[in-house]
Amino acid sequence: MKKFIVLFLAACMLLGLAACGRQESTSPTGQADPNAGTAAVDPSAPIEFDMQTSEEKHIVTIGTIDKSLFEGPILITSFGQSTDASTLDTALGRVSGVNYTYKAQAIADEMASYKTVIIAVGASTKGLGAAGIKDDEELARAQAIMAKLKETGATVICAHIGGQTRRGALSDKLADLVLPQAKLIILKEDANFDYKFTKYAEANNLPITLIFAAKDTVQVMNDIFGK
Amino acid sequence: MKKIPRHILTACLLCVFVAAMVVYLGITFRSAKEKEPIYPGPGVTGQEMLSKYCPNLEGSAGDTEIYILDSGVPGASMLVLGGTHPNEPSGYIAAISLIETAKPTSGILYVIPRANASAFTCNDPQEGSPMRFTIQTAGGDRWFRFGSRATNPIDQWPDSEVYVHASSGQTLSGSEIRNLNRAYPGRQDGTLTERVAYGITQFIKEHNVTITVDLHEASPEYTTVNAIVAHENAMNLATLSLWELEEQMKITVEASPKNLHGLTHRELGDYTNTMALLMETANASQGRLHGTVTPEMVVTGEDKFYYRAGQYGALTVEYPATGIGISERCARHITALNEFCRSYDGTAGSIDLGNIPSYKEIIANGIGAYLASPAK
């Protein structure tokens, strides 16, 4: 009996060393219904709502934009450390003859140097993490900047160009800080699934430019800042 | 004749059996050193070894081929790194496809298909991964190795308790010492992995490579997937490319973290003049939620557990029941590489990869249609 146990243990050790089983693994409970249980909401799943932009009409502006408000020097900064500020940098960089500064983590004390500030609103946990910034710190920086801009009277553009996936609690908090001082909203329209931005613009008689894709920011920047 | 006691006979038989298993497994393990054939196509004008740029690599398991596709027309240059992690197959299959089919019409394309050549010679322990997989081409099946994320421990051993990244002092777990994508910019007299990283960094410096793209894959539940990761000096290029790519696929741009060291998209951008980019596609065989990883699963991406995870909203990508196949993953890489070249408008001149198949064509025809047929 002892020999059989020894042989059995030796065989177990050998098979354990090989550890390359190819047998199809099966769940003890069988195939679960993927629709059962508490399915989470996929933030990237499309939400049906009436969009004014389309493949055929990429840019729609509601209201009148007063271009004379948007004087230099211009600053692009980020509230939320997503790559949307960098997208605006690329877009404005393609408009000839515009001098501007791009600083994703600008601070309140720098605001006195600018007459127009474009704020890319949209929180990215990856962006904040990569920059080593906590949510509270980003909110505090945003509040300080908005307070300073109230003092300086600079023109503010609220740019939410990250689309639906950029919406979220922190993004909405940041947007709510910027909107009261904004003179123009630029919005990638799929982020407007609850009509938050168009309703705000309508209620406050604020011009809003809706775009279909992030690359439309080039045309929008050209329309606003182009000579 | 004296009878051999039964317990000694049993012990002898067990020893013979174990010895036979050791020999068999040893031969199987060593067979991973056989390289999958690569058939240089009409665009290849030269070939070098990485040891030219780090002589300490010569004769080592880390030395690897660099394929040169020089259009003859002056312009910008691009270096494509495949096989930084040889358990991320779409990276090196896309790189091999370029070697075998691309013919640039301006600028120079450099391709290192097996950046960590040593890591192709083993698997990750306890993963039960297949050693090889096959892709069907017009002229028959081609085989490729499915390797490890890290340098073979036979070539670089032992791991330290804590890996201290040489140039930054960053500390990581000890096994990361064999991860090529934590070793940049590398050291001429460092570990094998650091020497490979050093060779690649030196190559970029000597050739003043305009754009460097490191091709990777990631778990479908990982946050940075279906993404381009860009060093700040390549962010404009990534954004311009994204605008065009978005019309064909869901893809995002992520900024390279400044506080995470050793990676291509951080160190190559910091230590050389190249525009450093990294790409990630969704590979189920790498994740933590998959079932058995078979050679077929590596190619088709089909996995019922990932499909279910997708239904529960646990993934960062849409995961269909039919899987995310290697053709789609390679199509992402190849289309993005082509778009980086098209979007580049810097002072180095233009780079045109020539008649590269479109995203839709690669998915419709399969990546095998853009690989050479195996030699008879």
Side-chain angles (χ1 to χ4, degrees), chain B residues 64-339:
Chain B
T64 192
E65 302 88 358
I66 305 166
Y67 293 86
I68 301 161
L69 291 82
D70 187 348
S71 67
V73 178
S77 56
M78 175 189 265
L79 168 64
V80 174
L81 298 173
T84 291
H85 293 151
N87 61 339
E88 299 169 13
S90 80
Y92 53 89
I93 299 296
I96 291 170
S97 173
L98 288 176
I99 293 166
E100 297 182 351
T101 61
K103 196 172 182 197
T105 55
S106 67
I108 307 178
L109 174 66
Y110 303 105
V111 185
I112 304 180
R114 294 182 279 239
N116 190 347
S118 166
F120 276 86
T121 63
C122 64
N123 280 147
D124 286 333
Q126 300 182 334
E127 290 291 328
S129 308
M131 290 179 71
R132 295 175 187 83
F133 61 93
T134 57
I135 293 177
Q136 197 178 35
T137 71
D141 285 352
R142 291 268 301 270
W143 65 269
F144 300 93
R145 287 172 293 174
F146 187 90
S148 165
R149 179 177 168 82
T151 302
N152 191 333
I154 282 184
D155 300 321
Q156 183 182 315
W157 186 86
D159 293 348
S160 53
E161 286 290 317
V162 174
Y163 167 44
V164 182
H165 180 247
S167 56
S168 69
Q170 168 187 265
T171 54
L172 292 168
S173 69
S175 62
E176 292 291 330
I177 199 168
R178 289 182 286 113
N179 182 350
L180 177 58
N181 205 27
R182 297 294 181 278
Y184 290 94
R187 286 190 297 175
Q188 191 173 12
D189 56 354
T191 63
L192 180 69
T193 312
E194 286 177 317
R195 281 180 274 149
V196 172
Y198 178 83
I200 291 170
T201 306
Q202 286 304 112
F203 177 86
I204 291 167
K205 281 182 177 174
E206 284 193 28
H207 292 272
N208 203 18
V209 174
T210 319
I211 305 165
T212 299
V213 189
D214 190 11
L215 302 179
H216 284 254
E217 299 205 85
S219 316
E221 66 270 30
Y222 186 49
T223 50
T224 304
V225 68
N226 285 351
I228 302 164
V229 186
H231 187 272
E232 51 271 20
N233 71 9
M235 192 51 93
N236 274 352
L237 177 64
T239 303
L240 290 171
S241 304
L242 177 82
W243 290 344
E244 301 307 318
L245 292 170
E246 272 183 327
E247 292 179 3
Q248 302 172 70
M249 62 184 88
K250 275 191 176 178
I251 190 163
T252 58
V253 168
E254 309 289 347
S256 168
K258 288 183 180 175
N259 53 1
L260 185 53
H261 292 280
L263 293 96
T264 46
H265 55 72
R266 169 53 39 208
E267 308 299 350
L268 294 178
D270 284 355
Y271 282 85
T272 76
N273 293 324
T274 201
M275 301 167 90
L277 299 153
L278 180 147
M279 289 207 56
E280 298 275 13
T281 60
N283 174 15
S285 62
Q286 257 188 288
R288 294 298 87 197
L289 308 177
H290 60 69
T292 310
V293 180
T294 62
E296 295 75 30
M297 188 268 214
V298 170
V299 173
T300 63
E302 195 175 330
D303 184 82
K304 63 184 178 184
F305 298 105
Y306 264 108
Y307 172 62
R308 277 166 65 183
Q311 297 297 299
Y312 289 128
L315 307 181
T316 51
V317 295
E318 288 171 30
Y319 211 91
T322 50
I324 300 174
I326 201 161
S327 295
E328 181 182 334
R329 285 138 54 197
C330 288
R332 281 180 164 272
H333 283 328
I334 292 169
T335 308
L337 291 169
N338 203 22
E339 196 53 56

Side-chain angles (χ1 to χ4, degrees), chain A residues 14 22-25 31-36 39-40 44 83 86-87 89-91 94 126 129-130 214-215 217-218, chain B residues 14 17 128 130 223-224 235-236 239-240 243-244 246-247 250 253-255 257 259 292 304-305 308 311-312 345:
Chain A
L14 268 175
R22 290 280 173 79
Q23 199 178 357
E24 186 70 17
S25 58
Q31 187 76 280
D33 175 5
N35 297 317
S44 62
T83 51
S86 163
T87 299
D89 171 34
T90 304
R94 299 184 86 72
K126 279 178 277 183
K215 74 176 185 178
T217 47
V218 178
Chain B
L14 269 176
F17 178 66
T223 50
T224 304
M235 192 51 93
N236 274 352
T239 303
L240 290 171
W243 290 344
E244 301 307 318
E246 272 183 327
E247 292 179 3
K250 275 191 176 178
V253 168
E254 309 289 347
N259 53 1
T292 310
K304 63 184 178 184
F305 298 105
R308 277 166 65 183
Q311 297 297 299
Y312 289 128
D345 57 0

Side-chain angles (χ1 to χ4, degrees), chain A residues 10-20, chain B residues 13-30:
Chain A
C12 285
M13 282 174 68
L14 268 175
L15 291 171
L17 278 174
C20 294
Chain B
L13 282 172
L14 269 176
C15 284
V16 169
F17 178 66
V18 168
M21 289 294 285
V22 167
V23 169
Y24 171 73
L25 292 173
I27 291 169
T28 306
F29 185 73
R30 284 187 65 84

